[in-house]
Amino acid sequence: MNEKIENLLEENRKFSPSENLVNNANATSDWFTEANEDRIEFWKKQALERITWYKEPTEVLDDSNAPFYKWFKDGELNLSYNCLDRHLETDADRVAFYWEGEPGDTQEITYQDLYERVCRLSNALKKLNVGKGDRVAIYLGMTPEIVVSMLACARIGAVHSVVFGGFSSEALADRINDAQAKLVITADGAWRRGDIVPLKENVDGSLSLTEYIENVIVVKRTNQEISMVEGRDHWYEDITKNESSECEPEVMNAEDMLYILYTSGTTAKPKGIVHTQAGYLTGVTTTHHEVFDIKDDDIYWCAADCGWVTGHSYIVYGPLANKTTSVMYEGAPNAPDEKRLWNIIEKYKVNIFYTAPTAIRAFMKWGVEHPQAHDLSSLRLLGTVGEPINPEAWMWYHQNIGNEQCAIVDTWWQTETGSIMISPLPGITDTKPGSACGPLPGIESAIIDEKGNEVGKGEGGYLAIKTPWPSMLRTVYGDDQRYIDTYWSQHKGLYFAGDGAKYDDEGYVWLLGRVDDVMNISGHRISTAEVESALVSHEAVAEAAVIGRSDEISGEAIAAFVSLIGTDQGDENLISELRQHVSDKIGPIAKPKSIVITADLPKTRSGKIMRRLLKDISEERKLGDVTTLANADIVSELQSRAIDSDDE
Ligand code: PRX
């Protein structure tokens, strides 16, 4: 961490918002003044202004049973109503999504269209015996049906659990079992760089590992042969086409569950992060309005996947509740070539573009000729999320995508926080390349030391949130104790984010990456324990240690060290088999980039694997003190073997 801090300290460039932004931004400094005067009143105002309620709440925050906070607890509302119905009277023909399929097919979906599709699916779900409180797994690519499915669940009060299409059968089954989902919505396949991700086949694999699923709804997308089981599997088209395009929304309590989204923690078992209705909607609508400075005629593009929280908050709920016109793209950024995203920006005249640093680093590698081949002058605001952005990538984004004219918002938040917490505000903040700047109005963050004391300017420590906020997670599904242990046990009353952070001399916040055993691979969270557990489930493996090592493009890359049963020799075939095994267990995103086979793993005398040492070896750093090593010889052996076993 120290090395990173030193690098960041050298970054002194500052960029002030343009006059146009200062004069026209949605959020002014009054927002900070109001929130600082009375945070609760600030959030109450947002909730009452931004949400259409069936019954307005009389209480804002109930903190009587901390950390099980409740927001707006006697309010009643429906999120699908807030995203759709309420816009129809004036804006039925407004485009909700310009959808662009990877093969080049397109759809223009108005708010009226989206409403009707959602109602049809809602009615079909009800006929399949899905009701309020039931869990529905959604395992789809980025076609409009993923949005429709989420909103249909919200409409009838079912709880959605979207599982990223890159996860394997087993990972899907684990999530279905944990949530006891009774129905899964999937597709025959998803397009990915011209290939088909066999979604239905994966679902079939997971169904042999779970007994909860009663029905499967299948969207037709890629048209290859798939197997359909009579009575259990239903084509989406068949079960929705004769349904009514009206469906009365369920009246939901503010604290009813909206969704579960699984994310990696420090153990092998992913956590089901629970979000509820009104606080979540307050958080996402407020931040979407203030951070992206959304205007009525803007074309907005959040280039994330709905399988992750960014898609939930900033493709679906925030933008739709704010009546935004969005672009939604199905496929890979380099399909058919590296110009695809820039082509889409030019085609739809996108004004606001939100992506991840890992994507920006890939764009840098692909070359400026690709963005330069397109007219990107419609852009006025750029965002990033998911991992620390290095100043070089920030400057490249600023110069080559923003043409030095755009505000850049580096937004820090998490699946758990539900909405953006730390970010510049486009009309107010002077930005620095690589810094997320500071907490948003109504958010009280702190950087603390080991003892829980706040550190001062120029100092680093752990990022914490001092007071509850509306879109916070409510618990870990089925495991209240894990919720308390993971987030609220380090320092009393403080939410522990798991990130290292630092203030510079002016008090700007710089994020420094995870401080726990969670890796950040291309902005995706994967725990070292998950990959280790997948590796040791292979018959040849005795022990495994996994670390994230720094990587030029993906931020971190997965490096694994394994010892084998009965031998210390393995070959390239075994290494490929192990990589495939991890992919089968978790998904292709968790494939180790390198695997080193070793007779033994470096451990302390108490038997703890020395991850720091493995990380140093992988990154070819000079080794630190190894005197606590029980098996010191292993170091030189590992060093000689720490090469990429596969660079694909
Ligand atoms: O380590 C932080 C990093 O991503 C983690 C949250 O991951 P996830 O729940 O998957 O959500 C990602 C999208 C919101 C954080 O703990 N992270 C996220 N945004 C940033 C970031 N690190 C640095 N800068 C950011 N802007």
Side-chain angles (χ1 to χ4, degrees):
M1 202 182 269
N2 283 340
E3 191 175 309
K4 274 193 204 162
I5 293 173
E6 275 161 28
N7 288 343
L8 292 173
L9 277 179
E10 287 162 21
E11 183 53 66
N12 291 319
R13 286 170 288 200
K14 226 182 201 181
F15 295 87
S16 303
S18 67
E19 209 179 298
N20 184 26
L21 272 168
V22 174
N23 295 335
N24 298 305
N26 292 345
T28 61
S29 51
D30 292 350
W31 285 49
F32 283 108
T33 316
E34 274 178 41
N36 291 341
E37 263 166 29
D38 189 338
R39 189 175 56 88
I40 299 294
E41 201 48 42
F42 171 81
W43 284 120
K44 178 178 168 189
K45 180 177 157 195
Q46 305 304 327
L48 295 182
E49 267 179 15
R50 295 176 194 283
I51 294 178
T52 305
W53 299 86
Y54 296 130
K55 176 173 175 273
E56 283 193 0
T58 57
E59 192 180 341
V60 182
L61 170 66
D62 174 358
D63 56 4
S64 59
N65 186 28
F68 299 95
Y69 297 98
K70 293 193 167 116
W71 286 86
F72 315 114
K73 73 174 186 195
D74 60 345
E76 290 175 356
L77 74 168
N78 180 285
L79 264 60
S80 162
Y81 179 91
N82 273 274
C83 289
L84 302 168
D85 311 37
R86 66 167 170 166
H87 306 322
L88 297 185
E89 208 170 296
T90 51
D91 289 276
D93 295 334
R94 174 192 282 261
V95 173
F97 289 106
Y98 289 108
W99 178 79
E100 176 103 1
E102 188 183 272
D105 50 337
T106 58
Q107 293 182 34
E108 202 176 293
I109 304 164
T110 64
Y111 274 90
Q112 179 72 33
D113 295 334
L114 192 58
Y115 165 81
E116 291 179 10
R117 291 191 199 195
V118 168
C119 288
R120 286 203 181 88
L121 180 61
S122 300
N123 289 324
L125 286 171
K126 283 194 199 171
K127 287 210 177 122
L128 292 174
N129 200 25
V130 177
K132 189 170 174 173
D134 287 336
R135 275 81 60 211
V136 171
I138 299 175
Y139 184 67
L140 283 166
M142 283 294 286
T143 58
E145 289 81 5
I146 195 165
V147 180
V148 173
S149 300
M150 291 164 74
L151 291 176
C153 289
R155 193 165 191 89
I156 64 173
V159 175
H160 58 71
S161 162
V162 182
V163 179
F164 176 58
F167 279 117
S168 68
S169 295
E170 260 189 59
L172 173 61
D174 287 347
R175 286 156 176 76
I176 288 173
N177 287 333
D178 190 76
Q180 305 191 345
K182 66 197 295 195
L183 184 141
V184 51
I185 307 177
T186 189
D188 47 359
W191 289 117
R192 191 71 194 169
R193 210 167 295 126
D195 289 336
I196 293 174
V197 181
L199 295 177
K200 176 60 166 65
E201 200 183 305
N202 291 349
V203 168
D204 292 342
S206 71
L207 292 190
S208 61
L209 305 168
T210 174
E211 284 171 2
Y212 295 109
I213 296 295
E214 295 164 11
N215 290 285
V216 181
I217 298 178
V218 187
V219 174
K220 207 178 193 55
R221 174 63 184 146
T222 44
N223 290 315
Q224 82 280 22
E225 268 301 296
I226 54 163
S227 70
M228 294 286 281
V229 172
E230 179 79 38
R232 185 197 69 189
D233 299 350
H234 317 269
W235 287 107
Y236 179 99
E237 167 72 12
D238 294 346
I239 59 156
T240 54
K241 67 178 175 216
N242 296 323
E243 289 298 337
S244 159
S245 56
E246 309 245 303
C247 172
E248 197 55 36
E250 193 75 31
V251 176
M252 303 300 286
N253 176 268
E255 281 294 342
D256 281 336
M257 209 181 291
L258 172 66
Y259 68 77
I260 305 171
L261 183 58
Y262 287 86
T263 186
S264 294
T266 49
T267 70
K269 188 176 169 348
K271 299 173 286 199
I273 302 300
V274 171
H275 282 291
T276 59
Q277 314 265 335
Y280 178 74
L281 192 61
T282 304
V284 297
T285 49
T286 306
T287 50
H288 181 253
H289 179 80
E290 65 182 331
V291 175
F292 298 109
D293 195 37
I294 284 288
K295 302 288 195 277
D296 224 32
D297 53 0
D298 272 332
I299 307 290
Y300 161 87
W301 184 13
C302 167
D305 190 294
C306 289
W308 309 108
V309 75
T310 308
H312 283 59
S313 299
Y314 298 109
I315 294 177
V316 182
Y317 291 107
L320 291 174
N322 284 347
K323 214 173 41 176
T324 301
T325 296
S326 290
V327 166
M328 179 172 170
Y329 171 54
E330 178 184 33
N334 53 354
D337 61 35
E338 286 76 10
K339 293 186 171 56
R340 187 64 185 268
L341 300 191
W342 319 124
N343 180 301
I344 294 175
I345 289 178
E346 178 177 274
K347 175 171 170 191
Y348 296 103
K349 301 196 166 36
V350 171
N351 307 111
I352 298 161
F353 179 61
Y354 190 32
T355 190
T358 195
I360 298 168
R361 291 191 294 267
F363 305 151
M364 290 168 76
K365 190 173 157 202
W366 293 340
V368 285
E369 63 273 26
H370 303 296
Q372 276 170 0
H374 290 280
D375 177 6
L376 307 181
S377 60
S378 56
L379 290 171
R380 69 180 176 84
L381 195 143
L382 303 172
T384 79
V385 60
E387 43 176 332
I389 181 162
N390 45 316
E392 301 69 41
W394 196 103
M395 286 304 298
W396 188 92
Y397 202 31
H398 171 68
Q399 284 160 350
N400 296 294
I401 307 303
N403 193 27
E404 301 186 5
Q405 304 297 311
C406 295
I408 297 190
V409 289
D410 171 4
T411 63
W412 179 89
W413 58 296
Q414 306 177 297
T415 307
E416 291 87 340
T417 69
S419 58
I420 300 170
M421 305 289 279
I422 299 179
S423 166
L425 281 178
I428 304 176
T429 319
D430 289 345
T431 50
K432 295 185 186 182
S435 167
C437 297
L440 291 176
I443 302 299
E444 299 186 321
S445 61
I447 301 176
I448 55 174
D449 63 18
E450 298 280 350
K451 296 201 176 92
N453 299 321
E454 286 196 38
V455 305
K457 286 181 181 168
E459 291 174 352
Y462 303 102
L463 182 63
I465 311 292
K466 294 195 283 189
T467 47
W469 65 101
S471 66
M472 62 194 293
L473 78 166
R474 296 303 194 261
T475 190
V476 172
Y477 189 73
D479 200 345
D480 286 347
Q481 192 57 46
R482 192 170 180 194
Y483 169 66
I484 295 172
D485 293 346
T486 310
Y487 305 106
W488 301 98
S489 298
Q490 285 76 3
H491 301 289
K492 203 164 168 36
L494 293 181
Y495 169 86
F496 182 79
D499 277 20
K502 179 185 188 329
Y503 292 123
D504 67 14
D505 293 340
E506 291 181 299
Y508 277 63
V509 177
W510 297 77
L511 276 311
L512 304 172
R514 302 289 305 183
V515 293
D516 52 11
D517 292 331
V518 174
M519 300 173 287
N520 192 329
I521 313 298
S522 302
H524 302 320
R525 261 162 83 172
I526 299 172
S527 87
T528 54
E530 261 175 296
V531 182
E532 284 166 3
S533 142
L535 284 166
V536 292
S537 73
H538 188 278
E539 57 189 10
V541 176
E543 235 186 342
V546 166
I547 51 127
R549 67 167 153 89
S550 55
D551 184 271
E552 215 183 312
I553 302 290
S554 57
E556 278 188 309
I558 303 178
F561 298 83
V562 297
S563 60
L564 303 176
I565 295 173
T567 172
D568 56 7
Q569 294 302 318
D571 56 16
E572 284 298 321
N573 288 341
L574 179 65
I575 287 176
S576 342
E577 199 179 310
L578 290 178
R579 295 178 76 243
Q580 189 52 42
H581 183 72
V582 175
S583 179
D584 293 344
K585 287 266 159 194
I586 307 175
I589 48 168
K591 259 191 199 180
K593 188 166 184 191
S594 62
I595 297 184
V596 174
I597 292 178
T598 168
D600 209 350
L601 294 169
K603 290 187 190 146
T604 60
R605 283 184 213 284
S606 64
K608 231 175 151 261
I609 291 174
M610 300 184 74
R611 292 172 189 285
R612 181 74 244 167
L613 180 68
L614 293 176
K615 204 172 159 72
D616 284 347
I617 291 169
S618 301
E619 290 170 1
E620 292 172 75
R621 289 228 193 93
K622 228 176 114 240
L623 290 174
D625 182 9
V626 293
T627 49
T628 55
L629 266 186
N631 40 3
D633 285 354
I634 201 71
V635 177
S636 50
E637 155 142 28
L638 281 178
Q639 267 179 313
S640 65
R641 292 202 194 182
I643 41 152
D644 279 7
S645 43
D646 190 333
D647 246 349
E648 131 197 340

